[in-house]
Amino acid sequence: LEDEVAHLEVNAKMEEIEQAGEWYEECANEYFINHNELINASLAFSELSMNAYEHGSLGLSNSYKHTLLAEDKYLDFLLEEETKSSLKINIRLYKVKNPYGEEYLLTYIEDEGEGFDTDLLYQVFGYHKSFNGRGISMSRKATLGIYYNHKANGVYFINKL
């Protein structure tokens, strides 16, 4: 993609992920005319960047995340595990046009983790009682689509400007 408008690399640290969210809103605010689209894009960014942090960078499995949440140890675990990680998360924003001249903001979030089996996404979009995939499902509804790279350690999402 040639129309990169912003790039940020952060360490896999909760504080830096939160700062990346602020950076994203600042950048995206320059492009979005519709405030609701900015809110939707920010929601997707928040959910998908946290996935890159928790699952990609820290290697937290969904089942262990549920255990930690049930035992009220989730945040303590993240803050402890991030001290052991030297992995980075890259964020790139692209302004793109379709053949009709309509403009979109394409966001790409990539972690340095091992990725995951994208076949699991088929389960996410069906009915379920667990927390698995709720962030991905919300992100999908808040955007025009989310798309994973082959390794599934990178995700694109797109919103209309």
Side-chain angles (χ1 to χ4, degrees):
L1 291 168
E2 296 177 19
D3 295 332
E4 183 177 307
V5 294
H7 174 240
L8 179 68
E9 180 179 85
V10 297
N11 294 304
K13 310 288 182 217
M14 187 175 298
E15 183 177 338
E16 291 191 37
I17 295 299
E18 289 171 2
Q19 291 169 353
E22 294 168 13
W23 169 86
Y24 183 81
E25 283 191 30
E26 252 181 60
C27 290
N29 194 41
E30 291 181 36
Y31 301 106
F32 282 102
I33 297 167
N34 182 324
H35 186 68
N36 288 334
E37 279 299 313
L38 173 61
I39 291 169
N40 286 337
S42 296
L43 169 70
F45 180 84
S46 177
E47 292 294 335
L48 296 171
S49 62
M50 272 304 284
N51 277 355
Y53 165 72
E54 309 174 310
H55 305 299
S57 298
L58 302 184
L60 179 60
S61 70
N62 282 328
S63 60
Y64 193 50
K65 178 179 178 178
H66 296 305
T67 301
L68 292 169
L69 287 167
E71 296 174 359
D72 198 26
K73 295 178 181 177
Y74 170 73
L75 287 176
D76 292 336
F77 172 84
L78 294 179
L79 294 173
E80 173 64 26
E81 286 301 305
E82 74 178 22
T83 65
K84 303 171 190 172
S85 176
S86 61
L87 299 180
K88 308 252 187 240
I89 297 170
N90 275 285
I91 303 149
R92 297 181 185 280
L93 308 181
Y94 303 91
K95 189 174 174 185
V96 296
K97 286 184 184 181
N98 70 12
Y100 304 104
E102 298 169 319
E103 294 184 317
Y104 300 87
L105 187 66
L106 180 66
T107 304
Y108 183 61
I109 302 168
E110 182 179 43
D111 62 69
E112 295 177 328
E114 296 180 14
F116 69 97
D117 180 1
T118 55
D119 285 345
L120 297 172
L121 293 175
Y122 293 113
Q123 299 168 17
V124 168
F125 300 118
Y127 177 76
H128 50 80
K129 293 182 181 180
S130 73
F131 294 110
N132 287 356
R134 290 207 176 148
I136 293 172
S137 185
M138 287 176 16
S139 298
R140 184 174 172 223
K141 291 176 184 172
T143 65
L144 294 174
I146 60 174
Y147 309 92
Y148 284 88
N149 67 0
H150 181 70
K151 186 177 173 184
N153 71 326
V155 63
Y156 290 93
F157 67 90
I158 189 164
N159 292 82
K160 187 165 193 222
L161 295 178

